Amino acid sequence: MAKIFTANSSSLMVDGNPIEGVQGIDYRIVRQQGDVFALGSDERLTAYYGATRVQGRIQVASANAALDTLAGSGAMFQVVATLTHGEATRSVSFDDCFMSDKEFAISSGGHGETVYAFSATRVREEDSGGGGG
């Protein structure tokens, strides 16, 4: 059964400090892949894998002073997202992160939003709690 996590009950911490105003977080894991073909054939025999890259983005209402400092300093940090719904919990930890990009946007009738992009050496996902659905 699928676990449905909700934004209202989830939290985000950077270097152990809670980040306020989080509107969302997204990440992707990209594995370098190469295909192996037999001589004289157009069908793939197997695949091999190389480096893994982890890229993430944190969307914050208006701005966040702690993330602004990291964007300007080039310092390494850790991000831990605790995704919850009911008793179901998933901890997503990003290790050895570096800020790679910062974007800000505001539109009429709305509020400002800053998107902080980061890269990480690895991501660890750990489930606990009850099932969801």
Side-chain angles (χ1 to χ4, degrees), residues 32-61:
Q32 185 179 42
Q33 177 184 327
D35 297 325
V36 178
F37 296 90
L39 290 174
S41 173
D42 60 355
E43 292 184 355
R44 182 181 73 178
L45 293 175
T46 190
Y48 64 90
Y49 295 96
T52 299
R53 294 179 48 176
V54 178
Q55 300 166 323
R57 297 172 0 121
I58 303 168
Q59 297 91 28
V60 176

Side-chain angles (χ1 to χ4, degrees), residues 13-15 17 19 58 64-79 97-102 116-118:
M13 298 182 64
V14 172
D15 282 342
N17 300 311
I19 300 298
I58 303 168
N64 182 278
L67 294 175
D68 284 342
T69 299
L70 288 170
S73 71
M76 185 170 55
F77 57 97
Q78 181 186 44
V79 175
C97 300
F98 291 97
M99 200 69 71
S100 60
D101 193 30
K102 175 184 165 184
Y116 300 92
F118 63 92

Side-chain angles (χ1 to χ4, degrees), residues 96-119:
D96 302 337
C97 300
F98 291 97
M99 200 69 71
S100 60
D101 193 30
K102 175 184 165 184
E103 300 173 25
F104 178 82
I106 192 169
S107 60
S108 64
H111 63 79
E113 181 176 85
T114 303
V115 177
Y116 300 92
F118 63 92
S119 63

